[in-house]
Amino acid sequence: MAVTLTVNGPDPAPGSGALPALLSLESIEKWFGGTPALSGVSFECRPGEIRALIGENGSGKSTLLKVASGELRPDRGTISVDGRVVRFRQPTDALRSGIALIPQEVPLVHSLTVAENICLGALPARGPGVDWRACRRQAKAALALLGEVELDVTRDVNMLTADERQLVAIARALARGQRILLLDEPTSSLSLSQANRLFTVLRQLRSQGIAMAYVTQRLAELEQVADWVTVIRDGRVVADMDIGHADAGQIAQLMVGRPLGQSSGADTATRADGRTPLLQVENLQMLPSLRSASLTVHAGEVVGVAGLEGSGASELLASLAGVGSEPKGTVLLGGEPLPLTSVRAAMSRGGGFLPRDRRLETLGPALSSPETRYPPELSSLWPPFVGLRRRRRQAAALARRFSVRMPGIEAPAAALSGGNQQKLVMARVLARNPRLLLLSEPTRGVDVGAKIDIFRAVRSYAQGERAAVVYSSEFKDLIEWCDRIVVLYRGHTVGDYPAGSLAEEEVVHLAGGAVSTRPGGA
């Protein structure tokens, strides 16, 4: 039964509801071993429509997209394209039917140029070789469909920003004639301005009759791009609604299946007045990103760091964790100099660091869950199997604490959903009992329920003689959960404000270089 809710959103694509579905999945079921991942899920995309698919991590969203793209075969149910039932044995079958999956980690060859990536697999021939001039023309034409005419198609992909790589991946699908795009959390690695650029592109494609399925964890994005919303929980569709009749709060409750209580940092924080600072940072400099960053963190505090892409906000946390070259400036932890010559040196003095990219910098995809959580310690005990057994027990306990959904404690990290991977590495960091938590985008790719679990864990941990510094591109979360917010602009600290005194729009303006007259502004 469809659920009727209410929220202001964009007008549905003109006439889209009257058009037959380009892609239709009916009563899809999929099991992994004895565990059902999808139970009778039906989902469809129409021309000129962006249909959002939203749910908790592990709810079945990505599994459904993989079924639609031919990466997984359904155990039951049917897939239809243009009203014709199809059976995909492999992803190339779906590509030939006009379906392209664009996953979170954009599948591009970074050593090749933009043009080469767009034409990859269908390079135009000229005699026995490649017609590179035609390749560049085709790449420019595909990008023009997105309204992107300034991107240099001769640039190597490894020189592009995250949003530019997204555009290249979409352009490659359009160059091959795909009419159905399946986007799996496309903004998870984008800044606010980059995400807005992508939204403009998606609206442009919608006007051209492209059908899109859009998976996201960010409820605010629904109002900006979606025409229709499908909520999935535990492998089942629990709501299907027009965005014009959708309320964000009720969608969140539908996702998790329970009321969501929230806790503001301003209500629960330990007051820092008169206390000795735990962390003191003065004029930290690591060119080109950081030019003069300063902040003070007291024991019992959760301090947010806000800044737009290129502001040095994420680099600030990385430098405090000893990542990259040694910065200049003064950094004291508990009144003692904090060595920043390496990650090992910084962590040995009581730091705990969660990097921005969990997959590239933290997780070993082939490692099991306990190995992922404790790789440095696995060889430290003798006999080895005794230490591993103890680690497994500890890993299982932490998995329960963070509600990590996994097939089993021996499952490889790559088998977990993005949000469960994030909770996994959070558990790993907290298990080391650091005095200072440094968390860069801790809720990236995490659903609303898991986000609350993570921030509650951070607030609960940052008590007594411990504290946390959190960088997030979602300013609303910093306001909701932190005690203070330090704002960076072009590598400089430009303000330090009580979180409860700020509105989200004000943080955006400050991070964009606006001058504040309120106390705390630089």
Short mmCIF file of all heavy atoms in Angstrom, two decimals, residues 261-283:
data_model
loop_
_atom_site.label_atom_id
_atom_site.label_comp_id
_atom_site.label_asym_id
_atom_site.label_seq_id
_atom_site.Cartn_x
_atom_site.Cartn_y
_atom_site.Cartn_z
N GLY A 261 14.78 9.31 18.04
CA GLY A 261 15.09 10.33 19.03
C GLY A 261 16.43 10.93 18.71
O GLY A 261 17.35 10.23 18.34
N GLN A 262 16.56 12.23 18.81
CA GLN A 262 17.82 12.89 18.54
C GLN A 262 18.31 13.59 19.80
O GLN A 262 17.54 13.95 20.68
CB GLN A 262 17.68 13.90 17.40
CG GLN A 262 17.35 13.23 16.08
CD GLN A 262 17.37 14.22 14.96
OE1 GLN A 262 17.14 15.41 15.17
NE2 GLN A 262 17.63 13.76 13.76
N SER A 263 19.60 13.78 19.84
CA SER A 263 20.21 14.42 21.00
C SER A 263 21.15 15.50 20.54
O SER A 263 22.08 15.25 19.80
CB SER A 263 20.98 13.37 21.82
OG SER A 263 21.66 13.96 22.88
N SER A 264 20.90 16.71 20.93
CA SER A 264 21.75 17.82 20.52
C SER A 264 22.95 17.94 21.42
O SER A 264 22.86 17.77 22.64
CB SER A 264 20.96 19.14 20.56
OG SER A 264 21.82 20.23 20.39
N GLY A 265 24.10 18.21 20.82
CA GLY A 265 25.30 18.38 21.62
C GLY A 265 25.15 19.49 22.63
O GLY A 265 25.69 19.42 23.73
N ALA A 266 24.41 20.53 22.27
CA ALA A 266 24.25 21.66 23.18
C ALA A 266 23.53 21.25 24.46
O ALA A 266 23.71 21.85 25.51
CB ALA A 266 23.48 22.78 22.48
N ASP A 267 22.70 20.19 24.39
CA ASP A 267 21.95 19.76 25.55
C ASP A 267 22.74 18.83 26.45
O ASP A 267 22.49 18.74 27.64
CB ASP A 267 20.67 19.03 25.11
CG ASP A 267 19.73 19.96 24.38
OD1 ASP A 267 19.79 21.18 24.63
OD2 ASP A 267 18.96 19.48 23.54
N THR A 268 23.71 18.10 25.87
CA THR A 268 24.37 17.05 26.63
C THR A 268 25.83 17.32 26.91
O THR A 268 26.49 16.55 27.59
CB THR A 268 24.25 15.73 25.87
OG1 THR A 268 24.90 15.88 24.59
CG2 THR A 268 22.81 15.34 25.65
N ALA A 269 26.37 18.40 26.37
CA ALA A 269 27.82 18.62 26.45
C ALA A 269 28.28 18.90 27.87
O ALA A 269 27.59 19.52 28.67
CB ALA A 269 28.20 19.79 25.56
N THR A 270 29.47 18.43 28.15
CA THR A 270 30.15 18.81 29.38
C THR A 270 30.71 20.21 29.19
O THR A 270 31.41 20.47 28.23
CB THR A 270 31.28 17.82 29.68
OG1 THR A 270 30.73 16.51 29.79
CG2 THR A 270 32.00 18.20 30.96
N ARG A 271 30.43 21.11 30.09
CA ARG A 271 30.89 22.48 29.93
C ARG A 271 32.41 22.56 30.09
O ARG A 271 32.99 21.94 31.00
CB ARG A 271 30.23 23.38 30.97
CG ARG A 271 28.74 23.51 30.80
CD ARG A 271 28.36 24.12 29.46
NE ARG A 271 28.14 23.13 28.44
CZ ARG A 271 28.14 23.37 27.15
NH1 ARG A 271 28.38 24.59 26.70
NH2 ARG A 271 27.92 22.42 26.29
N ALA A 272 33.05 23.31 29.20
CA ALA A 272 34.51 23.38 29.20
C ALA A 272 35.04 24.60 29.94
O ALA A 272 36.25 24.76 30.06
CB ALA A 272 35.01 23.40 27.76
N ASP A 273 34.15 25.47 30.44
CA ASP A 273 34.61 26.72 31.07
C ASP A 273 35.57 26.43 32.21
O ASP A 273 35.29 25.66 33.13
CB ASP A 273 33.39 27.50 31.60
CG ASP A 273 32.47 27.93 30.47
OD1 ASP A 273 32.94 27.94 29.32
OD2 ASP A 273 31.30 28.24 30.75
N GLY A 274 36.73 27.10 32.16
CA GLY A 274 37.69 26.98 33.25
C GLY A 274 38.53 25.74 33.23
O GLY A 274 39.38 25.56 34.10
N ARG A 275 38.33 24.86 32.26
CA ARG A 275 39.08 23.61 32.23
C ARG A 275 40.33 23.76 31.38
O ARG A 275 40.39 24.56 30.44
CB ARG A 275 38.21 22.48 31.68
CG ARG A 275 36.91 22.28 32.47
CD ARG A 275 36.20 21.03 32.05
NE ARG A 275 36.98 19.83 32.38
CZ ARG A 275 36.55 18.59 32.15
NH1 ARG A 275 35.38 18.40 31.58
NH2 ARG A 275 37.30 17.56 32.47
N THR A 276 41.35 22.97 31.67
CA THR A 276 42.59 22.99 30.90
C THR A 276 42.34 22.36 29.53
O THR A 276 41.73 21.29 29.46
CB THR A 276 43.68 22.20 31.63
OG1 THR A 276 43.87 22.77 32.92
CG2 THR A 276 44.98 22.23 30.84
N PRO A 277 42.77 23.00 28.46
CA PRO A 277 42.54 22.42 27.13
C PRO A 277 43.23 21.06 26.98
O PRO A 277 44.35 20.85 27.47
CB PRO A 277 43.18 23.45 26.19
CG PRO A 277 43.20 24.73 26.96
CD PRO A 277 43.42 24.31 28.38
N LEU A 278 42.57 20.14 26.32
CA LEU A 278 43.17 18.86 25.99
C LEU A 278 44.03 19.00 24.73
O LEU A 278 45.15 18.48 24.66
CB LEU A 278 42.09 17.80 25.77
CG LEU A 278 42.59 16.42 25.34
CD1 LEU A 278 43.43 15.79 26.44
CD2 LEU A 278 41.42 15.51 24.97
N LEU A 279 43.50 19.72 23.73
CA LEU A 279 44.23 19.93 22.47
C LEU A 279 44.36 21.42 22.21
O LEU A 279 43.38 22.16 22.30
CB LEU A 279 43.48 19.28 21.30
CG LEU A 279 44.06 19.54 19.90
CD1 LEU A 279 45.39 18.81 19.72
CD2 LEU A 279 43.07 19.11 18.82
N GLN A 280 45.56 21.87 21.91
CA GLN A 280 45.81 23.27 21.54
C GLN A 280 46.55 23.30 20.20
O GLN A 280 47.63 22.72 20.08
CB GLN A 280 46.65 23.97 22.61
CG GLN A 280 45.95 24.14 23.95
CD GLN A 280 46.88 24.66 25.02
OE1 GLN A 280 47.63 23.91 25.63
NE2 GLN A 280 46.85 25.98 25.24
N VAL A 281 45.95 23.96 19.23
CA VAL A 281 46.55 24.08 17.91
C VAL A 281 46.68 25.56 17.59
O VAL A 281 45.68 26.29 17.62
CB VAL A 281 45.69 23.39 16.82
CG1 VAL A 281 46.34 23.55 15.45
CG2 VAL A 281 45.50 21.91 17.15
N GLU A 282 47.89 26.00 17.29
CA GLU A 282 48.11 27.41 16.98
C GLU A 282 48.89 27.56 15.68
O GLU A 282 49.98 26.98 15.53
CB GLU A 282 48.87 28.10 18.12
CG GLU A 282 48.10 28.16 19.43
CD GLU A 282 48.87 28.89 20.51
OE1 GLU A 282 49.94 29.44 20.20
OE2 GLU A 282 48.42 28.87 21.67
N ASN A 283 48.30 28.30 14.75
CA ASN A 283 48.95 28.66 13.48
C ASN A 283 49.52 27.44 12.76
O ASN A 283 50.66 27.43 12.30
CB ASN A 283 50.07 29.68 13.72
CG ASN A 283 49.53 30.98 14.29
OD1 ASN A 283 48.48 31.46 13.88
ND2 ASN A 283 50.25 31.53 15.25
#
